[in-house]
Amino acid sequence: MIGRILLADDALHIRTIFSKILTNAGHFVKAIDNGDDFFQSVLDLKPDLAIVDLHMPGRELAENMALLRGCAKTKELPVIVITGSDDENELSEVLEAGATDVMLKPPNLNQLLNRVGAYIANARVQAMEQQLERERDSLFLTIARLADCREGDGAFQADRVLHCTELLCRSYEERIAPLPQLREICLAGTLYDVGKVAIPSSIVLKPGALNAQERELMETHCAAGAESLALGAESGLDSDVMELAVGIAESHHERWDGTGYPRGLKGPEIPLAARLISVVGVYDALTSERPYRKALSHEQAQKIILEGKGSQFDPEVVSAFETVAHRFPEIRQRFPH
Ligand SMILES: [Fe+2]
């Protein structure tokens, strides 16, 4: 695969030979001769790969690697370090500093070209995956924001749910157990109430208590959301997120003590993602204005959730909530009505 390469070496003959070989193989090469220019050249050229001499005049490799790995734009850049020294301690220091690979001078040229091609291909695949992930996140958030509009939560309920869920999940990981699908749970959680789109506005926006028939219809939003999301999963949308979203949409009104709906699931029968979103969703609903009531304060909403520990909510999730709840109001400030 062809790419852009930054070559940094103070030896003219190395720059000349490497540039010729890499250019003949179709790559674009920019060569520099000192460590001071390295980081800025990476920012300017946006290379797919850097090949760097271990010892050059100017800024040292370790310092350049720290700059690269500390910068969001350059932290993933593959860096092959070339060196004339086979001192094992020095080589392991180079890798510890963040280099991707080390090659001894003079490198076998076929091996160099093979490695360059492999790193560039890998970098392209990673960039494509990151782009797809960004597009996926954006698509989910857009659907969630649209679904939230009718209830007067503007375009921001999904953003609040996303960020509050992330805080809650990180706290859960610290106190209770790891969540390998943390990012996916946060994203899927934004669609927890998407089934309300299927419920008439006369019910969703009713400025008073629902009667028994209306309540029954309202409760079908769990199944409606789960069915729509399951169709999305079948049509090929990101399956991990969609599977979580189906479980969350279906089970976010279940209660830990088994008295929730639609299925009366109890305790760990309720998917963990739904138990997490249930706390975030209730907090967000309570602190939002509704046609039939004013918004509750943070303290009032927090009290209601703590009182539901072990009855409405998973006690471990509420424990995780207790340690981060004080940060929820700042998220509402960032994403108001
Ligand atoms: Fe709901």
Side-chain angles (χ1 to χ4, degrees):
M1 186 163 287
I2 305 305
R4 278 191 308 276
I5 297 168
L6 178 66
L7 170 64
D9 200 307
D10 58 320
L12 177 62
H13 68 285
I14 295 282
R15 293 201 304 278
T16 307
I17 294 169
F18 277 35
S19 292
K20 193 171 175 193
I21 290 163
L22 293 166
T23 305
N24 285 346
H27 300 291
F28 173 82
V29 180
K30 178 180 175 178
I32 58 172
D33 63 3
N34 67 85
D36 286 338
D37 293 341
F38 178 74
F39 183 59
Q40 189 57 48
S41 298
V42 171
L43 292 176
D44 294 341
L45 180 66
K46 300 180 183 68
D48 299 294
L49 171 77
I51 301 173
V52 191
D53 185 18
L54 177 54
H55 296 296
M56 280 188 297
R59 197 184 294 131
E60 301 232 341
L61 179 78
E63 205 181 329
N64 274 320
M65 290 310 304
L67 284 170
L68 273 189
R69 299 313 182 214
C71 169
K73 288 180 186 167
T74 60
K75 65 180 180 184
E76 306 289 349
L77 178 71
V79 176
I80 299 177
V81 173
I82 45 175
T83 173
S85 161
D86 61 356
D87 180 323
E88 285 200 7
N89 287 336
E90 197 169 47
L91 296 182
S92 60
E93 273 173 29
V94 169
L95 292 172
E96 275 166 27
T100 318
D101 203 351
V102 184
M103 293 187 81
L104 291 178
K105 284 184 193 174
N108 174 301
L109 296 179
N110 280 333
Q111 203 179 44
L112 176 74
L113 283 175
N114 285 341
R115 287 202 203 177
V116 164
Y119 281 119
I120 289 174
N122 191 41
R124 292 278 167 83
V125 169
Q126 277 187 4
M128 212 182 296
E129 283 174 353
Q130 284 165 2
Q131 177 63 22
L132 283 172
E133 216 165 86
R134 280 195 294 275
E135 286 172 8
R136 176 199 72 177
D137 292 6
S138 167
L139 177 65
F140 275 92
L141 268 177
T142 302
I143 297 168
R145 285 167 180 153
L146 274 173
D148 293 339
C149 281
R150 187 175 55 169
E151 280 190 83
D153 291 318
F156 295 121
Q157 187 195 11
D159 299 83
R160 288 196 302 273
V161 169
L162 179 74
H163 292 284
C164 288
T165 305
E166 188 174 355
L167 276 182
L168 179 63
C169 286
R170 296 210 182 281
S171 170
Y172 186 92
E173 282 203 315
E174 271 174 36
R175 296 175 61 96
I176 316 292
L179 294 168
Q181 291 186 296
L182 190 151
R183 179 69 192 159
E184 287 79 8
I185 292 172
C186 297
L187 206 51
T190 62
L191 292 166
Y192 78 104
D193 251 351
V194 74
K196 279 192 185 171
V197 171
I199 309 299
S201 296
S202 59
I203 293 178
V204 175
L205 301 178
K206 186 177 174 182
L210 301 181
N211 63 35
Q213 198 183 9
E214 290 165 338
R215 194 172 308 114
E216 202 176 309
L217 190 56
M218 182 65 149
E219 290 182 2
T220 64
H221 79 276
C222 299
E227 281 165 23
S228 313
L229 293 165
L231 283 175
E234 279 172 28
S235 68
L237 275 172
D238 188 299
S239 60
D240 287 347
V241 181
M242 291 307 277
E243 273 170 31
L244 286 163
V246 170
I248 291 167
E250 189 171 41
S251 303
H252 68 278
H253 284 289
E254 300 288 1
R255 293 172 55 108
W256 185 253
D257 60 9
T259 61
Y261 66 87
R263 293 199 285 159
L265 298 178
K266 193 172 182 180
E269 290 172 356
I270 307 164
L272 175 57
R275 284 180 260 150
L276 289 156
I277 297 299
S278 161
V279 166
V280 173
V282 167
Y283 175 89
D284 194 74
L286 291 173
T287 51
S288 298
E289 193 160 321
R290 289 286 180 261
Y292 50 88
R293 63 155 170 78
K294 294 277 181 209
L296 270 58
S297 69
H298 163 72
E299 289 72 22
Q300 289 169 311
Q302 181 174 248
K303 186 165 175 279
I304 288 170
I305 287 170
L306 297 188
E307 285 169 357
K309 187 175 186 175
S311 52
Q312 184 170 359
F313 305 113
D314 176 346
E316 288 183 338
V317 172
V318 174
S319 295
F321 168 80
E322 281 182 83
T323 60
V324 287
H326 65 283
R327 295 181 59 193
F328 280 25
E330 75 193 37
I331 291 175
R332 178 169 282 278
Q333 271 188 344
R334 274 170 61 203
F335 303 102
H337 293 293

